[in-house]
Each structure stands twice: as C-alpha cells, then as structure tokens.
C-alpha cells in the first residue's frame, strides 16, 4: 500500500484521505454491529451461547463491542487477551440489558459483578492461560476456590494452609502450633511450609511466630 | 479479633489494616514489603492532610503523646512502628517525591507533601489574586500567618519558598529583599506558562 501511495505531498494527502475513509467506514460498521448486538441480547442468552457468540465474532474478525482494536501490539503479544475482553464486555452488556426493565438502566457495579457468574469467570480465567502469568483456579477442596495470579505452583501444604487460614474465626491468622495440632503435621513441616510462604512466595505476613495469609487480610 | 476500621479521638478513620499486628512489622518478602509500605505511605499522607501536619520524624514513633501517636501506634493490639521501619518508609516517601528531607542532608525528619509544591503554588497564586494582593510586596509572614485563617496558614517556610520558586519560573512571582528580610511580589498570570 505504501508503494502505491507514491512520495511527496500528494502521496501524504492520499494517505490521510484513505485513513479518514477507513475511520468513517469502521465507525459506521461498529455502530450497526452494536445495534445488531443489542437486539440479540434483549433475548437473555445463557453463558454457553455468549461464549459461542464471541468465538464466532473472533473467528471472522469482528469486534462485537467496537472495543480495543484488533491486531495491535497486545493482540500479537498475547493471543486470547482480546477474546477475554470481548467476552467480559458482552457479559456486562447482557447483564445490564436484561435487568434494564427492573433498574431503569442504572445498575450498581457490585450487582453486575454478582450476576456475571462464577462459571463465566472460570472460563475467562482459562482464556488467560496463554499469558503465562499463572492465572488459574485453585480448588481448596472444601468447596471454596481461589484465583491464583502468580506463576508459581501451589503445593499441597500451601493449599492446606490457605484453606485453614480462611476458616471462620481465623481471620487469616495461622501458627505452627495450629498446623501441628489440627493437621497432625510435624513441627518442621509446619515451619518449612509457613516460611516458604512468607519468605519465598510473599503469600503471608508475619509478626513474631504468627503468620497472616494475605489473601484473607482486610485492608480498608 | 476481626480486623475492622477505627475512628480516632481526632476523628480520623483508620483502615482495617491498622489493626493487623503484622502491619507494624517490616515484612521480609520484597513484594509484601512494597504493598505494606505503600499502605503506610497512603495512611501517613491521609493523616497529615487530616490534621494539617507537615513534618514527621523517625523519633515520632518512640516518644508517646506526640501528634502522630494514634497512627504510629495501636494500643488496642499493643503494637507500634519501629524506628528502623519508619526510617525506611520516610526514605521511600522521599524517593516517591511525596516528601523531602527537611532540613536537607539528614534522614531523620521529612517535610510531607500531602499537597505537592506545584499544588501549593497554584493555591498561593489563587489566594493572592482573590485577596487583591497582586503587584504588592508581601512578607512571608503575611502569607503563612494571616489574621483570618486560610488554606496557607501554618505552611512551613521551605514549602512556601518552593511554591514561590515554582511561580517565579512562570513569571508569576519574584522574591525581593526588604527591610525585614525577604518579601515576595506576585504578578498576574500571563497565560504563557
């Protein structure tokens, strides 16, 4: 395309001319896509349908929300990131549109978060895996799940500690004694696991011999 | 036992993290320390703004009963910040440019920028303009100790001086030698900054 443009001022003019036309075309396309999308979403679709829909959009190179431009630096570096954003975006539109009759088009953010289901979040996190940053759902084994965002393997002792620290009444606090008494660990095992979490992984804070798991800490 | 917020006697709302015993112990993991120090800096800046405090010293965590008492200590959990960690926090504040060592060439005491010098400069210029003091010579004392309290009341001299220097760079102020020492004259904004 650059070769066709020629050189000099005329070439520059032609270039900006075509950039303008592309911009106009793209904005009219996105607008019609949004209208189309909105009409689709007034029928409340299930999570599965939404997933298929965004996959379809992705495969034909259409941006359903006219969101971040495709094919940019991010998309090249991290395939899957765009999909994740579209997917989340489509879900937000879906939730907002389907509750519009009840709330008149204004919705509390916390409510949006609640309605984007756990299943959706788990699927989103799976699409983040190509990032290589360790995004993964860790099952604590007692019905609770945590989102991991560090590229470290969580060993089974750490999973036990995380689960124990999050039990009601513990408020994230954990000691060697508790692990020895409640889990039947040897003192060395308890000390080793806690110190790894403290010094190597930064998963807890300490004061003397008492440890607090940061994921259970309250800040504000 | 559960962490919760706490309102101090001066009406400041301490965040939940302030009732966390480990918050007062300098953490070893670099990532944890970064997060912890960020939380301390936020807390110090907010409290300084709340009470209009301009100075914090390493010693403030040792001597009880000073103006920083209710932040640097938590008597409900019997914890206080250690001088070594406070010194580390002050150092971070200086490198983050939210504080400066004052006086210079020591590292035990800092001037806190809960407003940046640039922000003080704008407040100063607006105040001078709104009180009709443009083009007249004012003493520093007239600015920091006016009969009716203003936003600039009690502003430490080093901070006032910095604000004036910032304004003089855009030709909006000029320091002048007067009988009592130093004075300053302010000019209208030229629009060219």
């Amino acid at each position: 395309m650059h070769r066709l443009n020629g050189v000099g001022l005329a070439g520059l003019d032609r270039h900006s001319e075509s950039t303008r036309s592309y911009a106009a075309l793209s904005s009219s396309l996105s607008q019609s896509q949004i209208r189309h999308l909105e009409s689709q979403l007034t029928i409340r679709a299930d999570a599965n349908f939404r997933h298929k829909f965004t996959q379809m959009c992705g495969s034909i190179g259409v941006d359903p929300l006219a969101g971040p431009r495709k094919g940019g630096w991010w998309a090249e570096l991290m395939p899957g990131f765009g999909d994740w954003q579209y997917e989340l975006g489509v879900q937000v539109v879906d939730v907002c549109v389907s509750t519009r009759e009840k709330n008149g088009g204004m919705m509390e953010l916390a409510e949006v978060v609640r309605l984007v289901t756990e299943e959706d979040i788990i699927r989103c996190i799976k699409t983040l895996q190509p990032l290589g940053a360790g995004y993964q759902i860790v099952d604590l084994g007692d019905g609770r799940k945590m989102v991991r965002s560090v590229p470290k393997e969580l060993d089974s002792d750490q999973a036990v500690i995380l689960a124990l620290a999050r039990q009601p009444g513990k408020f994230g606090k954990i000691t060697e004694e508790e692990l020895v008494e409640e889990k039947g660990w040897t003192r060395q095992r308890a000390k080793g696991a806690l110190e790894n979490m403290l010094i190597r992984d930064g998963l807890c804070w300490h004061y003397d011999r008492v440890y607090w798991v940061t994921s259970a800490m309250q800040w504000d | 036992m559960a962490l919760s917020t706490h309102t101090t006697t001066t009406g400041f709302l301490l965040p939940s993290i302030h009732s966390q015993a480990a918050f007062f112990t300098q953490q070893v993991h670099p990532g944890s320390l970064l997060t912890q120090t960020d939380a301390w800096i936020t807390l110090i800046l907010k409290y300084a703004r709340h009470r209009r405090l301009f100075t914090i010293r390493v010693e403030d965590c040792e001597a009880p009963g000073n103006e920083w008492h209710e932040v640097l200590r938590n008597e409900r959990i019997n914890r206080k910040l250690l001088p070594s960690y406070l010194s580390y926090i002050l150092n971070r504040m200086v490198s983050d440019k939210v504080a400066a060592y004052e006086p210079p060439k020591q590292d035990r005491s800092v001037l806190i920028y809960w407003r940046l010098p640039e922000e003080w400069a704008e407040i100063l210029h607006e105040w001078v303009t709104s009180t009709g003091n443009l083009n007249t010579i004012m003493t520093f004392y007239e600015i920091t100790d006016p009969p009716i309290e203003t936003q600039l009341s009690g502003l430490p001299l080093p901070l006032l001086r910095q604000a004036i220097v910032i304004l003089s760079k855009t030709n909006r102020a000029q320091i002048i030698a007067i009988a009592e020492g130093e004075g300053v004259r302010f000019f209208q904004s030229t629009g060219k900054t």
Side-chain angles (χ1 to χ4, degrees):
Chain A
M1 194 184 111
H2 285 291
R3 256 170 281 148
L4 288 175
N5 261 339
V7 287
L9 280 177
L12 196 66
D13 276 352
R14 230 179 355 258
H15 180 70
S16 51
E17 183 76 37
S18 53
T19 310
R20 265 197 301 280
S21 347
Y22 285 140
L25 177 65
S26 117
S27 97
S28 78
L29 270 181
S30 340
Q31 271 165 15
S32 72
Q33 278 156 16
I34 288 171
R35 273 196 296 278
H36 182 64
L37 181 71
E38 275 176 349
S39 68
Q40 287 280 321
L41 289 178
T42 42
I43 308 157
R44 188 184 158 85
D46 63 357
N48 212 21
F49 172 79
R50 292 199 297 266
H51 184 60
K52 289 277 184 301
F53 179 74
T54 42
Q55 268 187 337
M56 181 193 77
C57 289
S59 67
I60 56 172
V62 167
D63 173 355
L65 292 173
R69 262 162 259 118
K70 226 178 159 62
W73 184 79
W74 284 102
E76 273 175 41
L77 191 73
M78 306 188 295
F81 190 72
D83 289 349
W84 174 75
Q85 281 190 326
Y86 307 150
E87 179 148 342
L88 192 60
V90 170
Q91 283 163 31
V92 171
V93 172
D94 177 25
V95 164
C96 290
V97 171
S98 63
T99 56
R100 204 179 276 164
E101 280 190 11
K102 273 187 278 174
N103 55 33
M106 287 293 285
M107 197 170 174
E108 207 181 315
L109 182 60
E111 187 69 359
V112 180
V113 171
R114 194 180 67 79
L115 287 172
V116 173
T117 62
E118 181 178 313
E119 196 193 334
D120 289 324
I121 291 170
I122 290 172
R123 204 193 331 264
C124 284
I125 285 169
K126 280 186 184 149
T127 68
L128 286 173
Q129 266 166 3
L131 288 174
Y135 281 90
Q136 200 186 15
I137 303 282
V138 177
D139 201 325
L140 293 183
D142 58 354
R144 283 170 311 159
K145 298 185 180 75
M146 300 191 82
V147 180
R148 186 189 73 173
S149 61
V150 282
K152 290 174 196 132
E153 282 302 319
L154 207 59
D155 63 43
S156 53
D157 280 3
Q158 291 179 332
V160 168
I161 292 172
L162 286 183
L164 189 63
R166 294 192 68 92
Q167 272 179 9
K170 295 247 192 242
F171 305 109
K173 188 180 158 202
I174 201 105
T175 58
E176 280 173 35
E177 287 72 25
E178 279 169 320
L179 290 168
V180 172
E181 281 160 29
E182 293 178 37
K183 295 289 165 190
W185 289 8
T186 63
R187 188 160 282 272
Q188 273 103 330
R189 180 177 172 193
K191 189 175 154 76
L194 284 169
E195 287 201 337
N196 273 344
M197 287 175 80
L198 177 74
I199 295 162
R200 188 191 62 192
D201 305 328
L203 288 169
C204 55
W205 288 18
H206 83 116
Y207 163 46
D208 275 353
R209 309 302 306 161
V210 182
Y211 299 79
W212 280 268
V213 171
T214 43
S215 63
M217 259 164 33
Q218 259 183 300
W219 291 83
D220 296 321
Chain B
M1 197 39 221
L3 298 185
S4 68
T5 57
H6 178 76
T7 307
T8 69
T9 47
T10 66
F12 183 74
L13 183 71
L14 289 166
S16 299
I17 194 70
H18 193 263
S19 53
Q20 162 67 263
F23 189 49
F24 293 81
T25 302
Q26 182 171 354
Q27 296 300 308
V28 274
H29 186 272
S32 302
L33 181 58
L34 189 70
T35 316
Q36 183 190 19
T37 308
D38 284 346
W40 268 111
I41 292 175
T42 306
L43 180 60
I44 288 170
L45 290 173
K46 272 193 183 162
Y47 189 74
R49 181 185 275 264
H50 169 73
R51 292 199 52 191
R52 292 184 62 85
L53 301 177
F54 290 97
T55 302
I56 185 167
R57 284 169 285 264
V58 174
E59 286 72 27
D60 286 337
C61 61
E62 289 171 309
N66 65 62
E67 55 206 354
W68 286 98
H69 185 94
E70 54 189 28
V71 164
L72 302 182
R73 286 162 185 258
N74 187 339
E75 276 158 1
R76 287 164 290 123
I77 55 167
N78 197 25
R79 297 286 289 128
K80 63 172 187 179
L81 204 61
L82 290 176
S84 57
Y85 186 35
L86 182 55
S87 166
Y88 177 90
I89 295 169
L90 299 188
N91 188 276
R92 255 284 306 278
M93 288 177 78
V94 171
S95 52
D96 286 1
K97 299 193 169 36
V98 290
Y101 287 123
E102 181 58 45
K105 295 187 176 102
Q106 52 80 46
D107 58 3
R108 307 288 291 174
S109 170
V110 299
L111 189 60
I112 307 170
Y113 296 159
W114 44 270
R115 279 203 183 103
L116 298 173
E118 291 77 12
E119 294 172 311
W120 283 116
E122 291 312 315
I123 289 170
L124 173 60
H125 195 266
E126 274 165 35
W127 176 74
V128 171
T129 309
S130 68
T131 51
N133 280 309
L134 286 175
N135 303 312
T136 57
I137 295 172
M138 301 182 81
T139 62
F140 289 177
Y141 184 74
E142 282 175 296
I143 298 167
T144 60
D145 204 2
I148 303 161
E149 196 173 312
T150 72
Q151 286 198 78
L152 298 155
S153 293
L155 191 70
L157 273 188
L159 203 44
L160 176 64
R161 212 178 275 276
Q162 283 184 55
I164 293 172
V165 167
I166 289 164
L167 289 176
S168 65
K169 281 181 184 151
T170 52
N171 301 319
R172 290 187 289 168
Q174 184 186 21
I175 291 185
I176 291 162
I178 53 170
E180 301 98 290
E182 270 179 315
V184 57
R185 184 155 51 184
F186 295 94
F187 309 101
Q188 205 171 0
S189 172
T190 53
K192 289 183 285 183
T193 50

